[in-house]
Amino acid sequence: MASDPPSKPEHLESAAPHGSGPYVLRPLLQGVPLSAEGGDEEIKINCVDFLDGNLYVGTTASELLHFFQIPPDPHDPTSTSQFILASRLRPPFSETQGAPGGSLPGVQQILLLPRVGKACILCNWTVTFYSLPELSPVFGTTQVRNCNWIGGVDLNESRDSGDDRSRGVTVLLSLNRRVQVIRIGEDARVVRKIDFSGSTLSVRRDSIACVADSQSYSLLDVDRQLKIPLMSISSLDNSQPGGPFGQTQNIASDSDGGLLRSSSSATARPNFLQSGGQSHARSTSLGDFITGGARKQDRKVGEAEDAVFQDADSPKRGSGSVAESSSRAQQGGANKPLPTPPRDPAGLVAAQAAGTQSPARGLSPPKPGPVFLRPHIASPSAEEFLIVTGTGPLDPGIGMFVNLDGDPTRPTVEFDRYPREIIVDGGATDPSSSRPSLTADEEGYVLASMAKEFDDGLHQGLEIQSIDVNVGEGEAEKFWLEIDSGDTTPSIPVGMRSLLQTEEMRFEEVVDLLCQRRFSPFSGHPSTPTMSLRSFDSRTAMSMERLSQEKELFDRDYESDDEPLPEGWESKRNKEGEEFVRSLAKTSSRLAIWAGADIWWGVRNPLLLQLESALEAASTRDNQSDEATKEKRRQLISLLGMIKDRDAKNELEFMTLGYIKQRASVMLLETFLDPTKPPMSDGEVAVMEINLIGGDLDARVVLALIPALRNEIVVSRRGIWIYGGVKNLVQGIISSEGSSPVIPPVSSLSPSVLQFLKRFLTAWRKKKGFGSIPAEVFRTVDASLLLVLLELDQDTPRGQTGKTGTIRKELYDLVDNGVDCFERAVDLLETYRRLFVLSRLYQHRKLSSDVLGTWRRIIEGEEDRGGELGDGEQRVRGYLANISNQPLVQEYGLWLAARNPKLGVQVFADDKGRAPRFEPTQVVEILKEEAPDAVKYYLEHLVFGKGNRAYVNELIAYYLDIVVNDLQSTPSSREMITSSYEAYRALRPPKPTYVRFLTDNAPPDDEIWQSRLRLLQLLGEGHDYDASAIWERIDTALSPLFEGNGKSSDANAQNQLLVPEAIILNGRAKRHEDSLRLLVHRLGDYDTAVSYCLSGGASLSGPIAGRRDSIPTKEVQTRLFRVLLSEFLTISDLSDRVEQTSALLERFGGWFDVLEVLPLIPDSWSVDVTAGFLISALRSLVRERQESMVIRSLSGAENLRVNYDLLSGIDEKGPVIDTGS
């Protein structure tokens, strides 16, 4: 670094690499020209300060270098400020006799007082004064000699130059014998002198200063001149005289040093006793004297505030001058000389190593082996100081926090070695800290410069630890910050200083990591695809022509409404993103760190860079063993757990947490997807999933890491925009895969990966509706999830429905709820031959035609690997009832009727369907054309279901064709019918009618038998049909079957096969004799024959209720019963003849004339056969005779009544005389 010219911008950008600690180094000035001639490597930097663009550097060569800052180029956000050397000043000083070996420390302190525009420079124990910023001498050429320290500026006061300059600034001068309080303004005046000899360091808050000499710390009230001794710097220092440590002492010059015991800071503070002489009054704390009553200054009468300066060339004493007071002190102490306090820590360490006695307290009795440690004091807040103690320079040090009363305030901090220097930075109450906008909170840290022992030797650096540790939380975590520079070796001591003014700076690393960059998941130019080759599937061999066509289709469909992208839009977006992140990536620092000739800013490390460093450490392991991989995963999961419940306090932290979740989870995903790595536990996978989703990483980025799913990614013309750091990581992973043209199939993924993808993509689908997520994401998610579920579902047994908790149920839910990648989903389902799932996808889109078409393909035999359709025809039937598209219902109703006539007819017969109703005439016509076998079923619906008699003839014709055609073509059917007649005749009374017998014995699934039963039902009911046409159809069809058997074909056609039909048709034709003959002799159905007579031959199954013509007259019934009696008397079986004749005459004797019946009865029959009939007939005759007698009597009586009424009427009217006029 030192070799680079300071004018080059790239020189200033070099810095020690950031780490996971809370601080990083940023270059302030590299290669400081410590020597005017150059080449003197012995010259070191002692102190540094910065104010209003002016950098002041004090060196061991007793030179003060003044650099002027050139601001960075406002048009170049990456440029940094430059420094040019404005002057090289050698402050005057006086040689001190106490300097060991004649060596001089050089410029020891730079104290800038911007409120009064002055600078105090301590060079070789001599203080000189200058104006700011050009360092011109002020107050003449005067000096303050033998000064160990200048400082003690009140840290509670503002140091801004805009404040009132007339008040001046109060500082403390640590002289050999006392501490002088002076006020610097337009001149310098001594405010008071405090008898505190040998002080080397002081830090002040209001009137309380924490002061150290070479061996111990104390608290001073500079207004009241009170002291509370604190602990020794070295706990091994036995040279301290016994004294009341922790007790308040009055050290005013006019006091005998009365002691006041200190108790607790929490107790009220009484007024200080102001009388001279010794005072032993008890006091609770040093604060009692701060708030006590007014007290006169410890000053002799007439002694005013003295001017402090004296000429360097003239030792003359001026009135009230510091020279005078110093001269008096020297003259007064000529007989009692004080030793020079130690001025170089290195000398103290050397003295300790040599076992020399410390000269710091000349009045103390000599003790062997004094221990000298450099005192360190800092003030983390307005109410406390931090002091450091130890046992030796190579031993650990302890930092103790005390309040203004000397009481401990918080847990101690431990340093691995006693530090060379310390600085406290930050904390919520420290207004002078580096106020970092990039860190998560205002946590305070203590930085300690020290040397540490490593394997390769001693390294110089900074040990950093938090001071905000509560009791019981354990020891604070320590961080080691080492200057890593080619020009600075680790053995060079590191110096540091809290500067007077902060400097604002930006972290370009934050910009690089958090700025959104365009990411392409495909190899090649990032602007190549507007979408992936979205229809390409690794399972099928799609042609490049088809891919190109679908790409063009996608562009037209999804980008047609977008405005054309302006030229340079991507560069503009990158620039805007950088400006936005850069506005957040600001921070400021007031810590200067130096080593050798280089100076850095000590900057709070942003949370992002701390976590990024931890991620880099986990990812850059050289060891690729399984244990190393597991350790990497543990580190990543631990890091994610650390930020899991952390709430973002600002926008940058929100982006930081999201970025870390994304990057760490992608790193976990990389190891998870690598089949050569050990498998991840369920808990690790769960953490990865939670952060992949919670980090809001675009799902397409995750899919880009899986080659088998990469071509499912859809990208618009604007591309995918993700954090730059995540983009670099993902592109590195993708590029490491190589450029193999073979895309692995989805089946190559392990079950654990497929299950992870299923959960991840399902969770992503829940984000639908978020306006901030582009539509292309969900098209990609849906397509990928569908592909994963199809792959997982291949192991599900064929035909299994979607039970809750199964992959198939999830697959159904996906398509039932709709997918954004409709065309791609169709391609995938076709590829996997999952036609039923495809139909469900169509159902969600209400594409009824496609739904039915898909089911039709399955029913007609096309492969459906899931086999979930079940009864496809019934499913089609139900679906047609729920759609309102009449042409579609007609199309698939006819198709279904052709396959399954019974089921298909239900489509047209359904009165509850949503489609408009079909006209029966139309349905009959289209069924005759497209599905002839279904016409019969539709006619049955009309006739039997709707009672529409208009189609009875057509239905009878269909039934008749079925029966006749079967009899013509099937001999077994003819035999079965004939055997049924014989079986029925063989039954003994009582027996059912033949129609009931036929119904009970007909096969339920035999279409022929059922058609014949329906035919008999229609023929037997009183429908208006053409009986002659039916008779002719039967005769024409069946007559050829009986030709050549020697009998009339007309008689055989009906009488032999279709006996019930012939009976009904004969009845319709009024050929009752033939019907009764067939009933008695061909069937033996005597009960039906009797019913036939009662109904007048109107119906085979009885009279029809409600029809007038179905109730015959007594004359018709009598005539039919006579025919029946004749047929009964000719029954071949004698027993049946006698039985049926006897029963007929007995039951229906009223319809017979006894005179006509008796001649018909064979003489050989016993009277008992007709006894019942005869008795009934005789009773009827007797009844008739008696009835006729009663009637005649009633008629005679009625005649008499009529004649009486006539005569009575004539009498009432009397005669009428007709005069003839």
Side-chain angles (χ1 to χ4, degrees):
M1 293 182 184
S3 61
D4 296 335
S7 61
K8 294 183 179 180
E10 58 269 17
H11 154 72
L12 294 175
E13 292 178 0
S14 61
H18 59 265
S20 59
Y23 285 84
V24 291
L25 302 180
R26 287 291 180 268
L28 194 160
L29 179 59
Q30 308 291 281
V32 178
L34 299 178
S35 172
E37 294 79 12
D40 192 350
E41 298 181 357
E42 297 299 325
I43 301 177
K44 308 296 181 186
I45 297 176
N46 274 345
C47 50
V48 174
D49 214 333
F50 178 76
L51 178 66
D52 295 335
N54 296 276
L55 178 66
Y56 305 97
V57 180
T59 70
T60 57
S62 302
E63 290 184 334
L64 180 62
L65 308 182
H66 175 201
F67 294 90
F68 181 73
Q69 184 183 34
I70 300 176
D73 183 0
H75 302 291
D76 183 6
T78 61
S79 64
T80 56
S81 59
Q82 310 289 322
F83 287 90
I84 59 173
L85 182 62
S87 65
R88 185 185 294 270
L89 176 68
R90 294 184 64 86
F93 60 90
S94 299
E95 295 287 345
T96 303
Q97 297 179 357
S103 61
L104 297 176
V107 177
Q108 299 164 280
Q109 273 185 270
I110 302 174
L111 179 62
L112 304 182
L113 307 175
R115 197 169 70 188
V116 295
K118 302 295 189 297
C120 305
I121 308 300
L122 177 62
C123 179
N124 296 323
W125 303 292
T126 302
V127 180
T128 53
F129 304 90
Y130 301 88
S131 62
L132 292 177
E134 71 281 358
L135 297 183
S136 298
V138 294
F139 309 143
T141 57
T142 56
Q143 308 169 354
V144 177
R145 302 170 184 169
N146 298 319
C147 180
N148 303 321
W149 173 263
I150 182 171
V153 178
D154 185 4
L155 298 181
N156 293 344
E157 290 184 357
S158 172
R159 307 186 195 182
D160 295 340
S161 58
D163 290 354
D164 185 13
R165 300 183 61 173
S166 62
R167 293 190 299 143
V169 179
T170 301
V171 299
L172 303 181
L173 289 177
S174 296
L175 305 179
N176 287 345
R177 294 181 178 272
R178 60 174 58 88
V179 174
Q180 283 192 347
V181 182
I182 65 173
R183 180 174 293 112
I184 299 177
E186 295 300 325
D187 60 358
R189 293 284 176 177
V190 175
V191 177
R192 68 182 53 84
K193 303 172 185 177
I194 302 174
D195 289 334
F196 191 94
S197 62
S199 62
T200 60
L201 180 63
S202 62
V203 176
R204 182 163 65 98
R205 291 284 187 181
D206 197 12
S207 65
I208 304 300
C210 185
V211 184
D213 57 19
S214 61
Q215 291 182 311
S216 63
Y217 299 101
S218 300
L219 292 177
L220 291 183
D221 183 343
V222 296
D223 291 342
R224 304 292 182 259
Q225 297 196 34
L226 302 173
K227 180 179 80 169
I228 297 179
L230 301 177
M231 66 288 300
S232 299
I233 300 174
S234 173
S235 57
L236 299 181
D237 185 7
N238 297 321
S239 62
Q240 290 291 321
F245 286 97
Q247 297 180 357
T248 304
Q249 301 177 10
N250 188 341
I251 57 173
S253 58
D254 58 346
S255 172
D256 294 335
L259 301 180
L260 290 176
R261 188 173 184 84
S262 174
S263 176
S264 169
S265 61
T267 310
R269 297 169 178 175
N271 294 335
F272 175 68
L273 299 178
Q274 301 182 20
S275 61
Q278 289 186 346
S279 174
H280 297 283
R282 293 179 62 86
S283 172
T284 57
S285 67
L286 178 64
D288 298 336
F289 303 103
I290 301 174
T291 58
R295 182 180 182 274
K296 296 181 180 179
Q297 300 293 336
D298 295 317
R299 161 184 312 125
K300 294 181 180 180
V301 178
E303 186 177 4
E305 291 188 356
D306 300 326
V308 203
F309 301 103
Q310 68 177 34
D311 292 337
D313 299 331
S314 174
K316 296 179 180 180
R317 290 180 292 173
S319 174
S321 68
V322 177
E324 178 184 6
S325 62
S326 300
S327 176
R328 287 199 305 266
Q330 291 175 0
Q331 292 174 2
N335 299 326
K336 193 177 180 180
L338 290 174
T340 303
R343 308 176 187 271
D344 187 2
L348 294 179
V349 175
Q352 178 184 356
T356 58
Q357 183 176 352
S358 170
R361 294 185 179 268
L363 299 180
S364 301
K367 295 181 181 180
V371 178
F372 294 102
L373 296 175
R374 183 173 183 172
H376 299 296
I377 304 175
S379 180
S381 68
E383 296 293 332
E384 60 183 345
F385 298 101
L386 169 63
I387 57 180
V388 181
T389 65
T391 57
L394 304 181
D395 299 327
I398 300 296
M400 302 180 63
F401 298 89
V402 297
N403 60 16
L404 302 184
D405 297 323
D407 299 325
T409 59
R410 63 175 92 189
T412 61
V413 294
E414 181 178 352
F415 305 99
D416 289 350
R417 277 200 179 189
Y418 194 84
R420 296 181 69 255
E421 298 180 20
I422 66 166
I423 290 179
V424 174
D425 180 58
T429 60
D430 183 11
S432 65
S433 66
S434 303
R435 304 279 302 181
S437 63
L438 300 180
T439 52
D441 47 37
E442 296 298 326
E443 187 176 9
Y445 289 92
V446 57
L447 291 77
S449 172
M450 65 178 65
K452 269 193 177 183
E453 191 71 35
F454 289 88
D455 294 340
D456 57 347
L458 202 62
H459 287 209
Q460 298 283 347
L462 302 178
E463 183 182 84
I464 306 169
Q465 56 185 309
S466 173
I467 60 174
D468 297 326
V469 179
N470 297 323
V471 177
E473 292 184 357
E475 187 177 352
E477 183 181 4
K478 297 180 181 179
F479 303 91
W480 178 252
L481 179 61
E482 193 171 297
I483 295 183
D484 185 12
S485 172
D487 298 333
T488 304
T489 62
S491 60
I492 298 179
V494 178
M496 55 185 178
R497 170 72 185 272
S498 180
L499 304 180
L500 193 63
Q501 185 177 350
T502 62
E503 176 77 355
E504 186 177 278
M505 58 195 70
R506 297 182 179 90
F507 279 90
E508 288 301 315
E509 301 96 322
V510 174
V511 177
D512 294 338
L513 294 175
L514 292 186
C515 187
Q516 295 279 321
R517 303 295 182 188
R518 190 180 183 192
F519 165 72
S520 173
F522 312 103
S523 58
H525 197 273
S527 61
T528 305
T530 60
M531 64 161 290
S532 67
L533 300 180
R534 49 192 291 275
S535 293
F536 178 78
D537 182 31
S538 57
R539 299 174 58 87
T540 60
M542 298 293 182
S543 65
M544 294 304 295
E545 179 181 2
R546 179 181 178 187
L547 294 175
S548 176
Q549 291 173 351
E550 291 193 353
K551 176 180 179 297
E552 294 173 1
L553 177 63
F554 176 84
D555 292 341
R556 182 171 68 252
D557 291 343
Y558 296 113
E559 300 288 350
S560 58
D561 296 335
D562 291 349
E563 297 181 359
L565 296 178
E567 184 178 356
W569 69 272
E570 184 176 353
S571 300
K572 181 180 179 181
R573 177 168 177 176
N574 285 332
K575 183 178 179 181
E576 291 173 350
E578 290 172 0
E579 291 175 354
F580 171 71
V581 179
R582 194 172 280 117
S583 67
L584 302 177
K586 292 180 180 179
T587 187
S588 60
S589 175
R590 68 181 333 120
L591 300 182
I593 313 294
W594 65 84
D598 300 327
I599 307 175
W600 291 269
W601 290 106
V603 188
R604 285 284 182 102
N605 195 15
L607 175 65
L608 172 65
L609 299 185
Q610 295 183 47
L611 299 177
E612 176 71 9
S613 176
L615 292 177
E616 290 292 339
S619 63
T620 55
R621 291 180 171 272
D622 296 332
N623 187 357
Q624 299 298 321
S625 65
D626 290 352
E627 287 300 322
T629 300
K630 293 179 181 178
E631 178 60 28
K632 173 182 177 180
R633 291 172 178 169
R634 282 193 291 268
Q635 290 184 4
L636 293 174
I637 291 175
S638 175
L639 179 63
L640 291 172
M642 183 178 67
I643 64 174
K644 175 183 176 182
D645 299 324
R646 185 170 189 147
D647 295 327
K649 298 180 176 60
N650 51 53
E651 189 167 5
L652 178 65
E653 188 172 348
F654 176 79
M655 297 171 64
T656 295
L657 298 179
Y659 167 81
I660 295 301
K661 289 179 181 179
Q662 292 182 14
R663 195 175 192 279
S665 54
V666 168
M667 294 171 65
L668 285 171
L669 180 61
E670 179 187 10
T671 67
F672 175 68
L673 296 175
D674 190 346
T676 64
K677 303 296 183 183
M680 294 176 67
S681 66
D682 293 341
E684 292 173 335
V685 174
V687 172
M688 177 181 68
E689 291 176 13
I690 291 172
N691 286 278
L692 280 173
I693 298 168
D696 293 329
L697 178 62
D698 194 313
R700 293 173 292 179
V701 179
V702 175
L703 297 176
L705 298 173
I706 305 173
L709 295 176
R710 192 172 298 155
N711 281 325
E712 301 300 333
I713 298 176
V714 181
V715 185
S716 69
R717 287 186 294 169
R718 293 189 178 273
I720 303 172
W721 291 80
I722 57 176
Y723 291 126
V726 178
K727 173 190 173 182
N728 296 335
L729 172 63
V730 175
Q731 285 186 335
I733 297 173
I734 294 176
S735 61
S736 65
E737 297 173 357
S739 57
S740 173
V742 179
I743 300 177
V746 180
S747 58
S748 64
L749 299 176
S750 66
S752 60
V753 173
L754 290 173
Q755 290 290 344
F756 155 72
L757 288 170
K758 183 200 71 170
R759 296 189 297 271
F760 172 74
L761 296 172
T762 300
W764 250 96
R765 273 178 54 85
K766 297 178 181 178
K767 298 184 179 184
K768 283 191 176 183
F770 291 6
S772 59
I773 304 176
E776 297 84 5
V777 176
F778 295 112
R779 288 200 289 273
T780 301
V781 168
D782 287 350
S784 302
L785 179 58
L786 178 59
L787 184 55
V788 169
L789 291 176
L790 286 172
E791 189 65 33
L792 289 171
D793 192 52
Q794 291 187 113
D795 296 332
T796 303
R798 179 178 174 82
Q800 180 177 326
T801 57
K803 297 180 180 179
T804 303
T806 62
I807 296 295
R808 185 155 295 179
K809 180 64 167 60
E810 296 183 40
L811 178 60
Y812 290 169
D813 290 342
L814 174 63
V815 296
D816 290 347
N817 292 323
V819 294
D820 293 353
C821 58
F822 180 73
E823 292 84 1
R824 179 56 178 156
V826 173
D827 288 345
L828 289 173
L829 292 171
E830 290 281 7
T831 300
Y832 277 82
R833 310 306 301 160
R834 298 303 299 274
L835 300 184
F836 177 73
V837 183
L838 176 61
S839 71
R840 298 182 72 125
L841 178 65
Y842 287 139
Q843 284 187 67
H844 178 77
R845 290 288 183 104
K846 300 187 184 304
L847 301 175
S848 302
S849 177
D850 294 310
V851 173
L852 294 168
T854 306
W855 288 346
R856 181 175 182 173
R857 292 165 56 190
I858 300 174
I859 295 170
E860 291 180 349
E862 193 167 338
E863 181 186 13
D864 178 34
R865 293 180 182 171
E868 308 105 301
L869 183 63
D871 188 351
E873 294 177 350
Q874 187 62 46
R875 192 183 290 268
V876 171
R877 159 73 184 92
Y879 189 78
L880 290 175
N882 293 319
I883 62 176
S884 57
N885 189 332
Q886 190 183 50
L888 194 61
V889 173
Q890 177 178 325
E891 176 187 352
Y892 282 93
L894 291 173
W895 170 80
L896 187 59
R899 288 185 57 87
N900 188 336
K902 284 186 179 180
L903 195 60
V905 165
Q906 296 177 15
V907 175
F908 300 98
D910 191 359
D911 293 333
K912 297 181 180 180
R914 297 179 60 185
R917 296 180 61 182
F918 292 90
E919 290 297 329
T921 306
Q922 176 192 4
V923 175
V924 172
E925 292 299 325
I926 59 178
L927 287 176
K928 287 180 179 179
E929 295 178 4
E930 303 292 339
D933 293 340
V935 176
K936 174 178 73 76
Y937 299 101
Y938 185 69
L939 294 175
E940 287 178 346
H941 163 71
L942 294 177
V943 174
F944 298 112
K946 297 296 184 180
N948 192 335
R949 299 177 181 274
Y951 295 94
V952 170
N953 274 326
E954 288 190 59
L955 183 57
I956 290 175
Y958 270 94
Y959 285 149
L960 192 57
D961 288 341
I962 293 172
V963 175
V964 170
N965 292 336
D966 180 65
L967 293 175
Q968 285 179 322
S969 60
T970 311
S972 60
S973 297
R974 297 194 296 268
E975 295 176 1
M976 184 178 296
I977 289 178
T978 304
S979 61
S980 69
Y981 298 151
E982 296 174 355
Y984 182 76
R985 285 198 306 269
L987 293 177
R988 299 304 300 168
K991 59 182 178 180
T993 65
Y994 178 74
V995 175
R996 172 57 57 190
F997 171 79
L998 189 63
T999 303
D1000 294 342
N1001 291 278
D1005 298 328
D1006 193 317
E1007 189 69 22
I1008 307 300
W1009 280 85
Q1010 297 300 323
S1011 296
R1012 189 182 180 200
L1013 291 175
R1014 288 296 183 94
L1015 176 62
L1016 289 173
Q1017 180 182 351
L1018 292 176
L1019 293 176
E1021 293 175 350
H1023 298 295
D1024 185 14
Y1025 55 85
D1026 189 353
S1028 61
I1030 298 173
W1031 188 275
E1032 183 180 356
R1033 172 75 178 92
I1034 296 173
D1035 181 63
T1036 304
L1038 300 183
S1039 292
L1041 299 177
F1042 300 96
E1043 292 180 355
N1045 58 5
K1047 294 183 179 181
S1048 171
S1049 62
D1050 179 67
N1052 284 296
Q1054 292 83 16
N1055 298 346
Q1056 295 299 320
L1057 292 178
L1058 300 179
V1059 175
E1061 290 84 352
I1063 294 171
I1064 297 173
L1065 293 175
N1066 285 331
R1068 273 296 182 102
K1070 305 300 182 182
R1071 296 193 292 267
H1072 301 304
E1073 295 81 0
D1074 294 338
S1075 297
L1076 291 173
R1077 184 173 56 254
L1078 291 174
L1079 283 170
V1080 174
H1081 299 290
R1082 186 74 181 94
L1083 289 181
D1085 189 355
Y1086 309 121
D1087 291 339
T1088 303
V1090 173
S1091 298
Y1092 185 90
C1093 294
L1094 291 173
S1095 65
S1099 176
L1100 181 65
S1101 54
I1104 301 175
R1107 287 178 58 92
R1108 291 182 179 180
D1109 57 355
S1110 67
I1111 302 176
T1113 64
K1114 182 71 178 283
E1115 292 77 9
V1116 172
Q1117 291 177 336
T1118 301
R1119 183 174 63 85
L1120 293 179
F1121 274 118
R1122 290 173 182 172
V1123 174
L1124 181 60
L1125 177 60
S1126 301
E1127 295 298 330
F1128 278 177
L1129 291 173
T1130 59
I1131 296 175
S1132 58
D1133 188 281
L1134 179 60
S1135 61
D1136 287 344
R1137 187 192 315 158
V1138 172
E1139 180 181 356
Q1140 295 301 324
T1141 301
S1142 175
L1144 178 64
L1145 292 174
E1146 184 178 355
R1147 292 175 58 195
F1148 302 99
W1151 277 268
F1152 295 96
D1153 187 349
V1154 66
L1155 297 177
E1156 294 178 356
V1157 172
L1158 289 177
L1160 298 177
I1161 301 299
D1163 296 338
S1164 59
W1165 284 14
S1166 172
V1167 177
D1168 294 336
V1169 174
T1170 58
F1173 168 71
L1174 294 175
I1175 293 173
S1176 176
L1178 292 176
R1179 287 175 178 174
S1180 178
L1181 290 174
V1182 172
R1183 183 173 60 252
E1184 290 177 358
R1185 178 175 174 274
Q1186 292 175 347
E1187 287 176 355
S1188 63
M1189 291 175 66
V1190 172
I1191 292 173
R1192 284 196 301 269
S1193 298
L1194 292 174
S1195 297
E1198 185 177 5
N1199 186 37
L1200 290 174
R1201 178 62 181 250
V1202 170
N1203 290 329
Y1204 172 78
D1205 291 339
L1206 177 62
L1207 293 175
S1208 296
I1210 292 173
D1211 291 340
E1212 289 179 2
K1213 289 186 177 183
V1216 176
I1217 301 174
D1218 186 7
T1219 61
S1221 60

